[in-house]
Amino acid sequence: FVYNIFYTVFGACTSIVAQNHDGQIWHARNLDFGLWPAFNFSKGNFWEMTAILRPMVVNVDVQRGGVTLYKQTTFAGFVGAHTAMKPKAFGLSIDTRFDDHLDSGLLRYLLSPESDQGVEITLLSRHAFETAGSYAEAFALLNTTRLLGPAYLILSGVGAGEGAVITKGAARRGALAPEGVTIDVWSLAAEQAKPRGDQFVLETNYDHWGKVLPIDDRRTPAYDCMRTRLGGSSGYNATGLYNVLSATPNLNKLTVFTTLMHAEAGRFEAYRQFCEDSATRRCPLF
């Protein structure tokens, strides 16, 4: 049970939905996890939980009646979905959002599981892949369902402009505020319409309208890569996005895997990631 609710508690990640010059939508994500229980300084500078989880990463082809329903990168024995794609329909990744109500909804659920505290996020994601047949249907479900706590749901589709970051949080301040409701939708189409005209949305673990934690600024380097180092939207493909997510600090000692998704083509691939210190580069802890 604890293993299957860990994503409700913590996951420091990076997710990107990008549209290239051909109108193709690519979705890429890094999953960073393992701050608990400890960092091992004596045997090679690594997070112990990250090292335990990395060999457990698997790609799963989820089928119903012998037909593929969706594909996901997950951990063996994990029943929800946090990184998945439904071919010809949509892709989804989940990033943790840290706010004042991070664990309050989960704690109330644990104390009173029969009460209406909202839905666990990875089970909602799995439900979306089992029931929604399109980007629009998935967006409607994810946008209107209350979660146990705060989160970012990063959704991609198959058509031009189909991409969004749905931010879940507390509707208002206070101990009785309902957590897990939608407080912001940041769409790819809206970003494209701005004067700068970025062809992507990029989410780490901080509100896109606010500042990042200075010791954990993965957003600024990733934006620099997307805007200046990929040759414009022509570089928004599997190779380009993999390179962005394989460059420090987005690649760090907590990074477990990188997944690349192209729902329209049904392309889905994942790579275990390692961030090793060298004489010329020292990997950030997170």
Side-chain angles (χ1 to χ4, degrees), residues 132-145:
S134 67
Y135 172 85
E137 291 178 5
F139 179 87
L141 175 63
L142 299 170
N143 189 40
T144 57
T145 304

Side-chain angles (χ1 to χ4, degrees), residues 2-11 33 78 94 96-98 101-107 109 119-123 147-151:
V2 172
Y3 176 63
N4 276 282
I5 64 168
F6 77 81
Y7 214 92
T8 300
V9 180
F10 179 85
F33 188 85
F78 192 81
I94 301 169
T96 297
R97 180 174 185 259
F98 304 105
H101 301 262
L102 176 60
D103 298 327
S104 57
L106 176 61
L107 292 174
Y109 164 75
V119 181
E120 196 279 327
I121 188 169
T122 66
L123 294 183
L147 303 177
L148 284 177

Side-chain angles (χ1 to χ4, degrees), residues 247-259:
T248 57
N250 288 94
L251 176 65
N252 57 75
K253 288 187 176 293
L254 285 171
T255 306
V256 181
F257 66 80
T258 296
T259 295

Side-chain angles (χ1 to χ4, degrees), residues 54 79 149 182 194 206 268 285:
R54 193 176 284 118
V79 301
T182 297
K194 292 180 180 179
Y206 306 95
F268 186 91
L285 300 185

